[in-house]
Amino acid sequence: MLYLISLLCGVLFGLGLIVSGMINPAKVLNFLDVTGQWDPTLGLVFMGALAVAMPLYQWGLRRHSQPVAAEDFKVPKGRSVTLSLIGGSALFGIGWGLAGFCPGPGITSLASLLPGSIVFVIGLFAGAIAYRFLLAR
Amino acid sequence: MTYTMTEFTPWSGLVGGALIGLSSGLLLLLIGRIAGISGIASGLMSTNVREMGWRAAFIAGLLLAALLFPWFSGQPLPVDIQADLPTMAIGGLLVGFGTRMASGCTAGHGISGLSRLSFRSLAATATFFATAMITVFVVRAG
């Protein structure tokens, strides 16, 4: 059941990325290009996503002690703004601005079998492994 | 250098965004997990079978959506990559390293985190949007 729900949520998430245009680096980069040929679409993608997710999260976390089909909510507990939060986010933003992909669209676009997608996803995992390795030392 | 122009598509943006938000909300309400793609992807390298399983299923769902979409809509996946391969590889490395260091990406901090009203996620989201915009500005000015 856990796996089936997760699979269906993945399909829904992927369709959202495709329909919204978030999967398209040209569109993402034009959203980030505020001083140039600005395409405001991704602002609306965020608004649409938050308009649905925020009430569901607030209702779920405030009114319920556990999810429908699992024992507990696995929600991050950290509260402090740390150097690694800001530094990591800054590096992520640079990569996002270079490639036009963040993790979800990059992975979803693998289905296109475009060389750029494949190379991005290999980099994505290599970067994650590199961080884990660095942290373990 | 000129870059591909894209059209402002407010309705498909809102509808697609709502689907992303619905997926994120349902994942939390039904199985209590956060829809953060960077965490889900790196969690594939977990040794705990149950924790790896739901993540693998979610990633399979993403790919299934990308395979189903062209079949149902009769249109190819709208993916127009702008950068050359070395830039895509460096971009991927920075995204992979940075999102693990910051424990979240556009989905985990930008949607789930903001939906939980987390100040940490707000700081992360403001930071990656800022550096992404600066990066595009520098790349396109150069």
Side-chain angles (χ1 to χ4, degrees), chain B residues 59-114:
Chain B
I59 299 285
L62 290 180
L63 293 170
L64 191 60
L67 294 172
L68 289 177
F69 177 83
W71 196 51
F72 276 108
S73 69
Q75 293 164 348
L77 272 190
V79 183
D80 186 356
I81 293 174
Q82 304 282 292
D84 57 20
L85 289 181
T87 309
M88 294 306 288
I90 294 166
L93 275 172
L94 288 169
V95 171
F97 191 92
T99 52
R100 285 302 75 218
M101 188 172 164
S103 320
C105 60
T106 351
H109 280 311
I111 295 165
S112 299
L114 292 188

Side-chain angles (χ1 to χ4, degrees), chain A residues 7-124:
Chain A
L7 178 80
L8 293 177
C9 283
V11 171
L12 212 55
F13 202 100
L15 282 180
L17 292 174
I18 298 164
V19 169
S20 66
M22 193 94 189
I23 195 177
N24 188 353
K27 219 163 161 56
V28 173
L29 293 175
N30 283 345
F31 173 74
L32 297 170
D33 191 11
V34 263
T35 62
Q37 44 195 35
W38 194 47
D39 174 352
T41 304
L42 293 199
L44 291 175
V45 179
F46 261 90
M47 280 193 266
L50 287 175
V52 176
M54 199 177 280
L56 291 176
Y57 265 73
Q58 292 303 319
W59 181 67
L61 294 175
R62 282 171 202 266
R63 298 295 173 86
H64 299 272
S65 55
Q66 68 178 97
V68 176
E71 309 82 53
D72 51 353
F73 288 114
K74 296 208 188 303
V75 174
K77 304 222 165 40
R79 302 202 62 85
S80 51
V81 175
T82 58
L83 194 64
S84 55
L85 178 82
I86 299 301
S89 295
L91 291 176
F92 161 42
I94 295 171
W96 191 27
L98 287 175
F101 277 143
C102 51
I107 292 171
T108 308
S109 79
L110 264 186
S112 70
L113 297 178
L114 289 169
S117 290
I118 297 169
V119 164
F120 176 85
V121 173
I122 293 172
L124 184 74

Side-chain angles (χ1 to χ4, degrees), chain B residues 3-115:
Chain B
Y3 296 89
T4 311
M5 293 287 287
T6 54
E7 209 181 319
F8 178 40
T9 47
W11 293 111
S12 58
L14 275 173
V15 171
L19 290 175
I20 296 171
L22 184 65
S23 162
S24 183
L26 286 178
L27 197 72
L28 180 86
L29 287 176
L30 297 177
I31 64 171
R33 303 305 205 279
I34 297 289
I37 313 298
S38 59
I40 289 177
S42 72
L44 286 178
M45 302 180 271
S46 160
T47 45
N48 179 326
V49 174
R50 192 175 152 85
E51 286 308 308
M52 204 202 75
W54 78 267
R55 292 183 166 99
F58 193 93
I59 299 285
L62 290 180
L63 293 170
L64 191 60
L67 294 172
L68 289 177
F69 177 83
W71 196 51
F72 276 108
S73 69
Q75 293 164 348
L77 272 190
V79 183
D80 186 356
I81 293 174
Q82 304 282 292
D84 57 20
L85 289 181
T87 309
M88 294 306 288
I90 294 166
L93 275 172
L94 288 169
V95 171
F97 191 92
T99 52
R100 285 302 75 218
M101 188 172 164
S103 320
C105 60
T106 351
H109 280 311
I111 295 165
S112 299
L114 292 188
S115 290

